[in-house]
């Protein structure tokens, strides 16, 4: 098995505004998630400025993924955090230039450690659009299991797409 790259997850800084703007406004990513509207720089700046970096208050945490050289390679999220039921949804976006190099798996492993050791979560889950085979394989290769097929779950503005609910117990 190929070893994973060394990465670091860190909080979003004001200097990450351009990265966040680029990712949130990438229409190719809208079809794989729940977002389908552009975000202004002002809105994203406000998000960065007002986020408490407290998952219990915000019910989410967004982290920047950096490689060993300190380059930003993507973003990792824990959203829909539910402390009562001890679960959260996870998502990862790797920038095009850094895909297929193991960064997503490394980030997922770090998220899992954080979720288990710091947040004491019982489970993580992901909703993956059926055509997104790269994400489907990423999660399955990292211990997530398909629990359900969600019919017509995501709408891209023209048609509905089925998705998979993938779950990992920690």
């Amino acid at each position: 098995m190929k070893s994973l790259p060394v990465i670091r997850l860190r909080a979003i800084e004001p200097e990450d505004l351009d990265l966040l703007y680029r990712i949130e406004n990438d229409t190719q990513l809208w079809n794989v998630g729940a977002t389908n509207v552009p975000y202004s720089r002002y809105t994203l700046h406000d998000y960065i400025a007002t986020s408490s970096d407290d998952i219990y208050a915000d019910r989410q945490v967004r982290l920047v993924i950096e490689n060993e050289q300190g380059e930003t390679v993507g973003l990792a999220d824990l959203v829909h955090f539910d402390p009562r039921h001890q679960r959260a949804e996870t998502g990862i976006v790797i920038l095009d230039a850094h895909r297929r190099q193991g960064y997503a798996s490394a980030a997922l492993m770090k998220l899992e450690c954080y979720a288990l050791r710091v947040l004491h979560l019982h489970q993580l889950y992901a909703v993956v659009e059926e055509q997104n085979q790269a994400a489907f394989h990423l999660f399955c290769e990292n211990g997530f299991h398909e629990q359900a097929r969600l019919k017509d779950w995501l709408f891209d503005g023209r048609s509905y797409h089925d998705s998979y609910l993938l779950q990992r117990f920690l």
Side-chain angles (χ1 to χ4, degrees):
M1 181 178 166
K2 183 180 169 185
S3 65
L4 295 177
V6 174
I7 61 137
R8 178 173 86 111
L9 299 178
R10 64 164 176 80
I12 291 179
E13 300 286 348
E15 295 79 21
D16 298 313
L17 178 61
D18 289 337
L19 167 72
L20 199 56
Y21 183 79
R22 191 171 67 214
I23 288 175
E24 292 295 344
N25 290 296
D26 183 345
T27 58
Q28 303 243 353
L29 296 175
W30 291 357
N31 293 339
V32 298
T35 300
N36 62 356
V37 295
Y39 285 94
S40 69
R41 285 185 187 281
Y42 176 81
T43 299
L44 295 172
H45 180 272
D46 189 53
Y47 166 77
I48 292 170
T50 61
S51 174
S52 69
D53 290 329
D54 179 354
I55 193 169
Y56 290 93
D58 297 338
R59 296 295 192 241
Q60 68 175 348
V61 64
R62 304 195 77 186
L63 302 164
V64 173
I65 306 166
E66 288 184 345
N67 66 15
E68 202 168 13
Q69 293 74 36
E71 297 172 298
T72 298
V73 299
L75 291 177
D77 299 331
L78 289 176
V79 297
H80 302 125
F81 171 65
D82 187 334
R84 179 173 181 228
H85 298 293
Q86 298 176 311
R87 65 176 172 244
E89 181 178 355
T90 186
I92 295 175
V93 175
I94 302 296
L95 299 173
D96 288 341
H98 301 284
R99 289 189 180 158
R100 305 212 185 288
Q101 296 175 37
Y103 291 118
S105 289
L108 194 51
M109 287 180 63
K110 291 243 186 210
L111 276 179
E112 289 172 7
C113 286
Y114 174 69
L116 179 64
R117 295 183 180 144
V118 177
L119 301 175
H120 308 291
L121 296 186
H122 173 61
Q123 63 180 290
L124 293 176
Y125 67 94
V127 176
V128 177
E129 197 266 335
E130 71 176 342
Q131 298 300 314
N132 191 349
Q133 289 300 302
F136 183 83
H137 290 299
L138 165 73
F139 286 105
C140 289
E141 289 171 359
N142 286 281
F144 283 69
H145 298 281
E146 180 185 336
Q147 298 300 326
R149 184 176 182 152
L150 305 168
K151 195 85 173 129
D152 290 349
W153 196 254
L154 296 173
F155 183 65
D156 67 9
R158 295 179 304 277
S159 59
Y160 291 93
H161 300 271
D162 293 354
S163 295
Y164 297 106
L165 175 64
L166 303 170
Q167 196 173 27
R168 175 171 167 94
F169 294 97
L170 304 174

